[in-house]
Amino acid sequence: MIPVKGYEGQKVAVLGLGRSGLATAHALEEGGAEALCWDDSREARERAEGQALILHDLTRADAWQDVAALIVSPGIPHLYPEPNRIVAAAMEAGVPVDNDIGLFFRSFADGDWDSFDIMPKVVAVTGSNGKSTTSALIHHALEHAGRPAQLAGNIGRGVLDIDPAHDGEVVVLELSSYQTELARALTPDVAVFTNLSPDHLDRHGGIGGYFAAKRRLFAEGGPDRAVIGVDEAEGVYLAGQMAEGPADDRVIRISVDRKLTGPGWQVYARKGFLSEYRKGRQVGSIDLRRIKGLPGTHNHQNACAAYAACRTLGLAPKQIEAAFHAFKGLPHRSQLVGEQDGVAFVNDSKATNVDSARAALSAFRHIRWIAGGLGKEGGIESLSAKDLSGVTKAYLIGHSAREFALQLGDVPYEICETMAQAVARAAGEAQPGDTVLLAPAAASFDQYPDFEKRGEDFARQVASLMSGR
């Protein structure tokens, strides 16, 4: 645990008692503060009481007396589409609002570091798609090379729940826009921006607010190195803002759309080959086509970002390449869950929007596509004929099955309703060389509590099918 600094002997309110909220409360107590906890859920409050935490009703008019700060869990809005009523009351009372990420950055360093030979570092990864894979890949490469590392944030453990740093350790954080937009301290050593596509727009007041939340990690954090995807206009803009000139190698530009040139530091992937250029000379390359855990262009972008971050941390190209080959991928993200009779079964349940589904579709050929669920605005109408060219047939499930069917153009489809029926029908019609791909392009909440449970059901149905049950 990372004891929170700066609030010793003071009262600090904690709103939201999920995983990060409970960890925050305990870290505050560990640092000598008095954590005053609240959640609208009775079950969450009872869980906090069971952990000997103090409940404090933040809905009361006198709730803010002598409170030094309010720490808010990521899912609670503080501005758009409208502030949570408790957050609004805190701001009206002049109480500073922060989150666990802000507390982490103000508390991570401690006196033990004076005896370290190599200072610990923090790598923070943000962006619309690929954050989890990129973060996990950096962490995996570090551990594969024998470097001490921890993985936390939006993946793995809560940021305040990790262990105090060891000599030379690297902490890799996946940070969502919900986390970066509010943190009062953001000081990573290396910051990574993967890409940008519209998401969470109601929470951020539009695409500009969404980008602004991501940009804070760089503009306010002032990282020593910035790894920035430049395949969207926002990334080009951000890289331009961070760099002092074309040769400034504190900024590493990455791309999967084009070859990058110039006197600076670039990493790009074309036709399955990753290339690293520095000062106009190639200094590293990897054939990504042979790496099973990173299929498709979207994963090649993740590989470029992770490679660049690892290079800033001193790993050699051959070390990174060996780690990439040993990477098995993350659950529910282009995860190979089975192969039988020449048919591959791939779980990409994390593809909850049309952009991530498009990326998954581009990674395979001869696809038996399982899609559907609780569709988002526009459904899959933005998928072009080119995006769907690899789809042999679609097997549609959930609430949006019929809506998706009307948006498929000439692609053959079948309304299956349930995962069990979709897997059975896709597997029964698949030929050697086909891929049965779950990439729903929709949320899961019509049939499952989250995308993880949806992916687990897919894997379970595949395992049952392969075992003959």
Side-chain angles (χ1 to χ4, degrees):
M1 178 169 288
I2 306 297
V4 173
K5 297 182 176 67
Y7 291 110
E8 186 174 354
Q10 300 182 69
K11 297 177 180 179
V12 179
V14 178
L15 177 60
L17 300 174
R19 183 191 65 162
S20 67
L22 291 172
T24 297
H26 287 298
L28 284 162
E29 297 274 0
E30 190 73 16
E34 181 180 357
L36 306 178
C37 303
W38 190 252
D39 193 296
D40 289 338
S41 163
R42 179 191 296 272
E43 181 182 352
R45 297 198 298 269
E46 290 175 349
R47 188 163 55 245
E49 277 190 307
Q51 297 183 20
L53 293 170
I54 301 170
L55 293 182
H56 182 75
D57 188 350
L58 295 176
T59 65
R60 290 167 39 192
D62 62 349
W64 305 106
Q65 186 174 349
D66 299 325
V67 172
L70 171 66
I71 311 304
V72 180
S73 292
I76 299 173
H78 63 276
L79 188 57
Y80 302 116
E82 62 182 31
N84 174 278
R85 61 194 177 102
I86 292 173
V87 176
M91 292 189 291
E92 283 287 339
V95 174
V97 180
D98 203 350
N99 62 16
D100 62 334
I101 305 302
L103 297 182
F104 168 82
F105 278 110
R106 70 183 285 173
S107 306
F108 183 47
D110 63 33
D112 291 342
W113 290 24
D114 293 339
S115 63
F116 289 169
D117 293 325
I118 302 174
M119 288 296 102
K121 292 185 180 294
V122 176
V123 179
V125 181
T126 194
S128 296
N129 298 307
K131 296 187 298 297
S132 296
T133 297
T134 299
S135 301
L137 193 52
I138 295 168
H139 178 256
H140 169 79
L142 289 165
E143 289 199 323
H144 195 269
R147 294 277 296 274
Q150 297 187 72
L151 181 64
N154 217 34
I155 185 175
R157 299 162 72 181
V159 291
L160 294 171
D161 198 34
I162 66 171
D163 300 323
H166 300 295
D167 193 334
E169 189 166 43
V170 179
V171 173
V172 184
L173 302 180
E174 180 196 339
L175 299 182
S176 71
S177 57
Y178 290 8
Q179 294 168 308
T180 59
E181 70 172 346
L182 188 59
R184 295 172 69 90
L186 283 169
T187 54
D189 298 281
V190 181
V192 180
F193 175 84
T194 57
N195 51 55
L196 194 83
S197 61
D199 206 0
H200 310 304
L201 299 190
D202 59 335
R203 171 66 180 260
H204 298 293
I207 189 68
Y210 178 51
F211 175 54
K214 303 285 189 185
R215 179 182 172 275
R216 289 191 76 245
L217 183 64
F218 299 81
E220 308 228 355
D224 295 332
R225 299 280 189 185
V227 176
I228 300 175
V230 294
D231 289 337
E232 294 89 28
E234 291 86 355
V236 175
Y237 172 81
L238 181 58
Q241 281 204 315
M242 297 299 294
E244 293 295 329
D248 186 353
D249 67 0
R250 294 173 303 169
V251 176
I252 308 175
R253 293 168 172 84
I254 64 167
S255 175
V256 289
D257 277 356
R258 63 192 186 280
K259 178 179 180 178
L260 298 177
T261 59
W265 197 349
Q266 299 97 15
V267 178
Y268 65 87
R270 294 187 70 197
K271 298 180 180 179
F273 288 89
L274 180 152
S275 298
E276 177 191 4
Y277 275 77
R278 197 167 186 181
K279 297 180 180 178
R281 295 177 56 249
Q282 185 171 6
V283 295
S285 65
I286 297 176
D287 182 355
L288 298 173
R289 300 171 304 171
R290 297 168 46 238
I291 300 175
K292 284 191 172 182
L294 296 168
T297 301
H298 63 305
N299 274 313
H300 294 176
Q301 184 179 59
N302 300 334
C304 286
Y307 177 97
C310 289
R311 292 288 282 139
T312 71
L313 298 168
L315 270 63
K318 291 298 183 183
Q319 288 179 298
I320 301 170
E321 181 176 9
F324 282 7
H325 277 284
F327 184 66
K328 301 301 183 184
L330 288 178
H332 318 299
R333 297 163 176 87
S334 296
Q335 177 194 19
L336 180 65
V337 297
E339 291 182 276
Q340 189 174 60
D341 300 330
V343 177
F345 296 84
V346 175
N347 167 23
D348 204 331
S349 183
K350 183 64 169 63
T352 58
N353 59 48
V354 70
D355 288 322
S356 50
R358 179 184 290 111
L361 291 171
S362 71
F364 305 98
R365 301 176 63 189
H366 311 299
I367 300 167
R368 303 279 173 173
W369 182 29
I370 299 177
L374 191 61
K376 299 184 178 179
E377 184 176 355
I380 58 171
E381 64 183 0
S382 65
L383 292 177
S384 66
K386 180 180 178 182
D387 295 327
L388 297 169
S389 61
V391 178
T392 302
K393 184 176 177 180
Y395 303 82
L396 304 175
I397 64 174
H399 178 270
S400 297
R402 285 163 179 79
E403 176 191 354
F404 281 18
L406 297 174
Q407 298 172 334
L408 279 170
D410 295 330
V411 175
Y413 68 86
E414 183 174 337
I415 304 292
C416 293
E417 302 290 359
T418 67
M419 184 70 72
Q421 184 179 349
V423 170
R425 292 292 297 156
E429 295 181 350
Q431 301 295 315
D434 284 359
T435 296
V436 176
L437 171 66
L438 171 66
S444 60
F445 305 124
D446 57 330
Q447 294 178 309
Y448 303 93
D450 50 45
F451 73 84
E452 288 98 339
K453 289 294 186 292
R454 177 170 60 190
E456 289 166 8
D457 188 22
F458 173 76
R460 187 164 50 249
Q461 298 299 333
V462 170
S464 176
L465 186 80
M466 292 174 62
S467 66
R469 293 198 299 271

